[in-house]
Amino acid sequence: MKSILKKSLLLLLALLVLAALLLTLHLRGKRPQREGELALTGLQAEVSVRYDEFGVPHISAAHEDDLYRALGYVHAQDRLFQMEMLRRLARGELAEVLGPKLLETDRLFRTLGIRAHADAYAAKEFAQIDTPAKRSLMAYLDGINQYQASRPAPLEFEVLGLPKRPFTPADTVSVAGYLAYSFAAAFRTEPVMTQIRDQLGASYLQIFDMAWHPDGVLRQGLRPGDWQDLGRLAQLSQNALEAAGQPVFEGSNAWAVSGSRTLGGKPLLAGDPHIQYATPAVWYEAHLKSPGFELYGHFQALNPSALLGHNEKFAWSLTMFQNDDIDLVAEKLNPANPNEVWYRGAWVPMQSREETIAVKGAAPVKLTLRRSPHGPIINDALFGSVGETPVAMWWALLETENPILQAFYELNRADSLDKARQAAAQIHAPGLNVVWAGAGGDIGWWAAAKLPQRPAGVNPNFILDGASGEADKPGFLHFSANPQEENPARGYIVSANHQPASAQAIPGYYNLWDRAERLDSLLRDPSIRWAPANTRALQLDVQTGYSARVLRPVLPLLRAAALSEQDKALLEELAAWDGKFSLPQRAPVLFQQFVYELAHAALADELGEKAFDSLRRTRIMDPALPRLLADANSPWWDKRGTPAVETEAQIVQEAWLASLAHLRKTLGADAKTWTWGGAHTLTHPHPLGQQQPLDKIFNVGPWPVPGTREMPNNLDARVGPAPWAVVTGPSTRRIIDFAQPGQSLGINPVGQSGVWGDAHYADQSKLHAQGQYRSQHLLEADVAAHTRSSLRLRPQP
């Protein structure tokens, strides 16, 4: 009997070993091929791909089309699943593979019109492949499709049952539309701002930055069901961006310093775009070289042109302009015909189209999507809509020519100030700040967007009245009217998503000035000569003046409260704090929890929990809090539902006590353990990692990280209760000093590869969390010295 049992156990062990071996071999077959040779159809000559120690491909080709075909192939090797999920998100096709839970997200993106717009745009623009930019995209997509057709499907394809489909120009345009939508704050803020104005009154708006005539009400009155729908839309918009596991653009830093202010006597460029963290990371790095062209670039899925890049002659970075390029418009329905709206003095019919969403494990869902003269009717995104008023969305992306593919193709080759300016002028939507520097000595910045003209007195921070004409657009401003600077006398340019100085106010959802002011306060110091070392320190700076602005008016109120000795000691520690969010400190924990409790205590009773939840996730909350604290007579202080009239002092004191109670419950009774590094962590989530236990397999992290929102090292956790999970932050940190352009520095938050188990899946995540950098090899001698493997792509015979 023992012998039989022993043989059975040995057999089971052998089967387990065999299964593990087969699984290992199966997964190994899915890893990128980085050495040897492969044949590709369409190549005119052999292409060399050398991989460095971090998996960055250095691609050399004799012909430009070959260069981009090779880029598509190697990009797909590392990121095919990311490409597939991003196009499905943008085109409203996630429910087909992820099931009914993604149906609302699909319905939202179908309603936005991104898919329909991309299909029409691609059909028109790619009817003829008559420009180098179009040829580059077609070659790049061909490289992706050749990889997909010839290699085993990624593991995620097998887990989710994803079919392989060719990638098309319409997919690329769709992804560009999604990125533009991820910038837009209108969905998350305009319904709440309008509700505050029309239901609470103008006095409640004073804490918000409503410089654009905050009085008045929406002439096209909204009913309770309409407000319910708008609240659902705001929440759906936020949830769709957070749940899809794909990049969302949030902010960014970029600055250029002229040679007169640098240690090496040449311009220096620094940039760190702030994007939602994910696995794999948003950027794919590649070094491209063909006759007459060379660029070390940061690429996004399905785009052959780098969005960030440099070589020995020039470099550029991007930040989000934050201009308001979406207007929500309440339409007036014809009582006699619900398919007509009042527009420019007459009843006009709405257009409609039918679309079908495939749903995994369920029947397909048919949509009827309407469009008024102002744009798509966004109520159609909701299941079970209870509203009576159609709300349209005017979006610059859908209303402009937007030759953004051509713009970035030219920007990749913009070796002069004039060429960079001409390229930036072709970016219509989304709005981007292009910060550029050249080895010849020039620096420049252009706020790139096609800015709409709006009727005088119209405030686009609120939902507009479609029947009155206030939502109509007389035209667009010429690019020369956009904010921009070239070679300013101060010797530097800084862009940090703040409202730019301009001859006329440009509506937008701008970030606080604090981050820009912190950068500017150091950059304007004439005694400092900038070089990579102190530029790195500036990118990693974790100090802000925002905390002092918030605490200054509340400290006297808290010191007057009846507090225990322990609570008083914590208060005085917070009062003595220097505003730095570094890992070992306790004060940032106290401050961050207090900010949330204060905002919740003051605002949630008037707004309701859902509206407050939407508002706390937006940028508009940050400037509101200091204004609220500066006004002891604000109506927000009084709690609804109580007979007494509460004061600012009462609410502030309650918020402080609630903060300490939550921290003791969540982080432990011993306040000595409350450190910022213990409470503020970064995890890079994978789309499959949203389900346990797959999170332990596919996600990367958590890492303790310093910094927080609205400081140079902008590792942003949303306003909320402890502990705090970082959502967005520096998606790369780049430093290019034209005194030594071949010695540029950078970092990827996770790794080059999106293939689980690959050596480059997460090999940079710890470096990024610790504020480390690595070399971006550009010079031939450096590339050769750091080559770890070589792949030869030859023409298919």
Side-chain angles (χ1 to χ4, degrees):
M1 188 69 178
K2 289 183 179 180
S3 176
I4 295 174
L5 180 60
K6 183 177 181 181
K7 287 181 180 179
S8 298
L9 290 173
L10 289 173
L11 178 61
L12 178 60
L13 179 62
L15 290 173
L16 290 173
V17 171
L18 178 61
L21 178 61
L22 291 174
L23 179 61
T24 300
L25 292 173
H26 180 68
L27 294 177
R28 185 174 296 170
K30 298 178 181 299
R31 294 179 186 174
Q33 181 176 341
R34 299 192 179 100
E35 58 185 353
E37 68 173 47
L38 292 166
L40 267 65
T41 61
L43 290 181
Q44 301 171 67
E46 187 176 294
V47 178
S48 166
V49 184
R50 293 174 290 175
Y51 286 92
D52 67 23
E53 69 270 37
F54 286 99
V56 176
H58 300 260
I59 308 172
S60 298
H63 303 279
E64 188 172 284
D65 285 358
D66 289 354
L67 187 70
Y68 286 109
R69 186 166 279 106
L71 173 63
Y73 190 93
V74 301
H75 198 171
Q77 281 201 124
D78 285 310
R79 301 291 186 90
L80 186 66
F81 177 64
Q82 182 183 55
M83 294 173 174
E84 175 66 22
M85 294 303 285
L86 196 52
R87 76 162 164 184
R88 282 186 175 274
L89 172 61
R91 294 180 63 78
E93 299 172 350
L94 286 174
E96 182 179 2
V97 295
L98 298 179
K101 65 181 180 180
L102 271 300
L103 187 54
E104 278 198 334
T105 299
D106 281 354
R107 185 161 183 152
L108 172 65
F109 282 101
R110 297 291 184 102
T111 304
L112 295 174
I114 293 175
R115 175 195 181 104
H117 173 74
D119 289 347
Y121 183 97
K124 176 184 175 183
E125 293 296 323
F126 287 85
Q128 290 185 311
I129 312 302
D130 54 0
T131 67
K134 293 179 186 178
R135 288 198 301 272
S136 71
L137 177 58
M138 298 307 294
Y140 169 80
L141 293 174
D142 181 58
I144 295 173
N145 290 331
Q146 285 197 57
Y147 171 79
Q148 181 172 237
S150 63
R151 299 286 292 170
L155 175 62
E156 295 94 336
F157 275 58
E158 293 181 338
V159 172
L160 296 175
L162 289 170
K164 290 183 175 181
R165 301 175 301 161
F167 289 86
T168 70
D171 294 327
T172 297
V173 178
S174 296
V175 169
Y178 161 72
L179 294 174
Y181 172 74
S182 77
F183 289 14
F187 267 96
R188 278 99 67 194
T189 56
E190 289 177 15
V192 180
M193 289 297 99
T194 306
Q195 185 174 2
I196 291 171
R197 184 191 66 183
D198 293 359
Q199 295 189 349
L200 297 177
S203 62
Y204 283 84
L205 286 172
Q206 292 178 11
I207 67 168
F208 300 103
D209 188 11
M210 298 287 106
W212 284 64
H213 314 298
D215 50 351
V217 295
L218 183 65
R219 298 182 188 90
Q220 174 62 26
L222 298 181
R223 298 165 178 82
D226 298 326
W227 289 117
Q228 186 176 333
D229 278 0
L230 288 167
R232 289 176 59 198
L233 273 169
Q235 197 162 36
L236 172 58
S237 173
Q238 186 66 43
N239 292 344
L241 292 175
E242 293 181 353
Q246 297 301 319
V248 178
F249 280 66
E250 277 288 331
S252 302
N253 299 320
W255 59 91
V257 185
S258 69
S260 64
R261 301 289 312 281
T262 63
L263 194 62
K266 294 283 188 178
L268 182 149
L269 178 89
D272 53 296
H274 305 152
I275 300 176
Q276 183 172 323
Y277 287 119
T279 298
V282 62
W283 301 115
Y284 184 76
E285 295 177 43
H287 175 200
L288 309 184
K289 190 173 183 179
S290 63
F293 174 68
E294 182 173 17
L295 188 77
Y296 190 107
H298 285 60
F299 298 82
Q300 287 194 337
L302 301 183
N303 190 341
S305 292
L307 296 192
L308 313 171
H310 76 279
N311 55 32
E312 292 189 81
K313 295 182 179 179
F314 67 95
W316 80 94
S317 194
L318 301 175
T319 73
M320 282 75 256
F321 187 178
Q322 312 290 40
N323 59 300
D324 184 2
D325 63 358
I326 286 181
D327 286 347
L328 300 185
V329 184
E331 302 287 14
K332 181 179 179 181
L333 276 180
N334 185 351
N337 185 346
N339 193 45
E340 292 183 341
V341 296
W342 188 258
Y343 179 68
R344 295 185 178 179
W347 296 112
V348 299
M350 290 187 283
Q351 302 172 5
S352 66
R353 69 180 191 277
E354 301 287 333
E355 291 196 14
T356 301
I357 300 176
V359 184
K360 185 177 182 178
V365 174
K366 292 186 177 181
L367 307 179
T368 299
L369 302 175
R370 299 171 295 165
R371 181 185 178 93
S372 80
H374 293 116
I377 302 300
I378 59 170
N379 313 58
D380 294 338
L382 297 173
F383 291 104
S385 172
V386 295
E388 302 175 44
T389 304
V391 178
M393 175 192 70
W394 183 95
W395 189 10
L397 181 84
L398 305 179
E399 304 294 338
T400 60
E401 303 87 353
N402 205 30
I404 197 165
L405 296 174
Q406 180 68 27
F408 277 97
Y409 180 87
E410 293 183 14
L411 193 55
N412 282 215
R413 292 155 178 80
D415 57 4
S416 71
L417 203 61
D418 288 344
K419 291 180 181 178
R421 185 192 316 110
Q422 291 167 13
Q426 298 180 76
I427 299 171
H428 295 172
L432 296 168
N433 290 298
V434 179
V435 180
W436 182 96
D442 290 323
I443 61 173
W445 153 66
W446 304 274
K450 201 151 190 179
L451 298 174
Q453 296 174 334
R454 292 179 168 97
V458 168
N459 184 345
N461 289 300
F462 303 102
I463 298 171
L464 304 180
D465 184 1
S468 69
E470 67 179 14
D472 299 342
K473 308 295 184 294
F476 292 90
L477 299 177
H478 189 270
F479 179 74
S480 60
N482 286 20
Q484 52 192 280
E485 281 188 323
E486 297 176 6
N487 296 319
R490 78 178 79 87
Y492 67 90
I493 292 167
V494 61
S495 177
N497 315 117
H498 54 293
Q499 184 159 20
S502 177
Q504 60 179 15
I506 298 170
Y509 293 95
Y510 303 102
N511 292 61
L512 284 170
W513 272 89
D514 295 77
R515 178 158 45 93
E517 173 56 30
R518 177 64 179 166
L519 293 170
D520 189 74
S521 69
L522 297 171
L523 287 169
R524 67 175 176 253
D525 185 341
S527 67
I528 298 177
R529 287 293 178 266
W530 292 95
N534 55 3
T535 300
R536 172 179 166 176
L538 184 52
Q539 283 189 329
L540 298 173
D541 186 87
V542 293
Q543 190 162 6
T544 176
Y546 180 73
S547 55
R549 289 199 290 125
V550 170
L551 292 174
R552 192 176 299 116
V554 303
L555 289 174
L557 303 178
L558 291 175
R559 284 173 172 146
L563 302 175
S564 69
E565 290 303 315
Q566 185 180 17
D567 291 357
K568 285 181 181 178
L570 291 171
L571 176 62
E572 292 309 317
E573 180 180 338
L574 186 60
W577 176 45
D578 60 5
K580 290 182 178 178
F581 283 72
S582 54
L583 293 179
Q585 288 187 301
R586 178 168 52 188
V589 178
L590 298 169
F591 177 77
Q592 202 76 353
Q593 183 66 34
F594 179 54
V595 164
Y596 166 72
E597 297 289 357
L598 193 56
H600 184 271
L603 306 182
D605 57 312
E606 283 91 355
L607 296 175
E609 291 293 342
K610 288 185 178 179
F612 174 76
D613 187 63
S614 293
L615 197 65
R616 74 180 177 87
R617 298 166 188 265
T618 70
R619 291 183 289 272
I620 205 166
M621 180 72 82
D622 295 324
L625 198 57
R627 292 192 189 94
L628 173 62
L629 293 169
D631 183 4
N633 297 316
S634 174
W636 290 103
W637 295 121
D638 182 33
K639 284 186 177 181
R640 296 203 163 192
T642 65
V645 177
E646 286 79 12
T647 66
E648 177 182 11
Q650 288 175 275
I651 300 301
V652 166
Q653 292 164 10
E654 287 178 14
W656 176 248
L657 294 174
S659 299
L660 298 180
H662 177 83
L663 293 175
R664 289 180 175 120
K665 179 181 178 181
T666 307
L667 302 184
D670 185 359
K672 293 179 182 178
T673 65
W674 302 351
T675 65
W676 189 237
H680 186 247
T681 59
L682 168 58
T683 296
H684 303 273
H686 185 281
L688 294 185
Q690 297 182 32
Q691 299 291 332
Q692 294 180 340
L694 295 180
D695 57 329
K696 306 300 182 186
I697 299 172
F698 290 99
N699 293 352
V700 177
W703 300 108
V705 289
T708 189
R709 58 197 291 125
E710 295 313 319
M711 59 180 49
N713 197 7
N714 192 26
L715 288 154
D716 179 10
R718 302 290 187 234
V719 173
W724 298 280
V726 172
V727 178
T728 64
S731 57
T732 179
R733 299 183 180 103
R734 298 164 61 235
I735 302 172
I736 299 98
D737 181 359
F738 282 103
Q740 293 181 308
Q743 305 299 317
S744 66
L745 299 174
I747 193 67
N748 181 307
V750 190
Q752 276 280 99
S753 178
V755 179
W756 183 81
D758 185 64
H760 301 300
Y761 182 75
D763 57 337
Q764 298 181 59
S765 62
K766 186 176 182 180
L767 297 174
H768 174 271
Q770 293 177 341
Q772 300 297 312
Y773 293 67
R774 58 171 182 76
S775 296
Q776 299 177 136
H777 307 305
L778 180 67
L779 302 179
E780 173 55 32
D782 288 336
V783 173
H786 291 87
T787 294
R788 297 295 181 266
S789 62
S790 297
L791 178 65
R792 187 164 65 98
L793 302 177
R794 56 178 174 79
Q796 180 76 49

